[in-house]
Amino acid sequence: MLSFRTFIKDLGTIRTSLLLAALLFIAGGIAGWVGTGDLQQLLYQQLQGLGQISGDLRESSNPQLSFFIFIFLNNSIKSVVIIFLGALFGILPALFLLINGAVIGYLIHLNAIQGQDLFTLIVKGLLPHGIIEIPAIIIACAFGLKFGSRGLSALFRAGRRSGGEANGWPDFMRQTLTASVWIVILLFVAAIIESTITFWLLS
């Protein structure tokens, strides 16, 4: 039930949601890169907040452990919660993808216009952990989007017999449980990489 093979098989049943989630994340990245005015100000405030947290963690007695705990708990809790918040018609997972994509897009653009080394930022600062973390977040949001689409479908089917749809819910909820477990595991690995390899590369 909770095997990795089952998890991979379940991903095949939400291919459309996975594609939509990836496109929303990319769209957010593009918006973050080209955004102006209020959007840039919002994203800049997001980065300032992250910078403040990063500074506080670096000043702790064990920075690497502090980074690991913060990154793992922050990402895993948000990712699991966003799956089930998708029940609200998939709105929150969509916003989550757009915002996270926009922050990354804006961060890269900001470094580019400031003449910073993008190789260091992308290859050393994002790629080592991001190659696991970003897909895990996209998968979580994809399940959230699927949750929303199923909720909408059930709403429109109300008043009509839809035994097949009703019978499909237990299996989908089993899929969300399996996905939650493996997403947390993947984010655990990503947090280890970010608090060790990425931390070392950027030090």
Side-chain angles (χ1 to χ4, degrees):
M1 175 180 168
L2 296 178
S3 70
F4 187 70
R5 180 178 295 180
T6 300
F7 172 56
I8 296 299
K9 184 179 178 180
D10 290 341
L11 294 182
T13 69
I14 61 162
R15 288 189 296 269
T16 301
S17 296
L18 280 170
L19 177 60
L20 177 58
L23 290 174
L24 285 170
F25 185 82
I26 293 170
I30 295 172
W33 179 277
V34 303
T36 58
D38 292 341
L39 177 59
Q40 281 194 342
Q41 182 62 32
L42 174 63
L43 295 174
Y44 184 70
Q45 290 174 355
Q46 291 280 328
L47 290 178
Q48 277 190 316
L50 291 173
Q52 179 62 50
I53 293 172
S54 177
D56 292 342
L57 293 174
R58 286 182 181 276
E59 293 175 2
S60 65
S61 58
N62 191 331
Q64 286 182 288
L65 179 60
S66 298
F67 268 102
F68 168 75
I69 293 172
F70 172 78
I71 292 166
F72 172 62
L73 291 179
N74 181 63
N75 288 340
S76 60
I77 291 172
K78 284 182 178 179
S79 294
V80 172
V81 168
I82 208 69
I83 293 176
F84 298 98
L85 288 180
L88 300 174
F89 312 123
I91 295 172
L92 294 178
L95 289 175
F96 190 74
L97 286 164
L98 289 170
I99 292 171
N100 278 273
V103 168
I104 293 176
Y106 179 67
L107 174 63
I108 295 173
H109 179 65
L110 188 63
N111 277 264
I113 62 177
Q114 290 178 348
Q116 302 295 321
D117 183 3
L118 293 185
F119 176 85
T120 298
L121 174 64
I122 296 173
V123 177
K124 294 184 177 181
L126 292 175
L127 193 59
H129 64 276
I131 200 170
I132 298 175
E133 181 181 299
I134 292 174
I137 291 173
I138 289 175
I139 290 169
C141 291
F143 273 100
L145 293 171
K146 184 65 175 179
F147 210 143
S149 69
R150 288 185 66 91
L152 281 171
S153 178
L155 184 64
F156 285 122
R157 289 170 184 264
R160 300 187 332 187
R161 291 190 176 185
S162 56
E165 183 72 17
N167 290 335
W169 276 105
D171 186 56
F172 178 71
M173 295 310 295
R174 192 274 308 157
Q175 289 181 346
T176 62
L177 174 61
T178 302
S180 296
V181 170
W182 282 104
I183 286 167
V184 168
I185 292 172
L186 290 172
L187 291 173
F188 180 81
V189 174
I192 291 175
I193 295 172
E194 187 170 1
S195 60
T196 55
I197 297 175
T198 304
F199 186 88
W200 174 73
L201 288 172
L202 295 179
S203 295

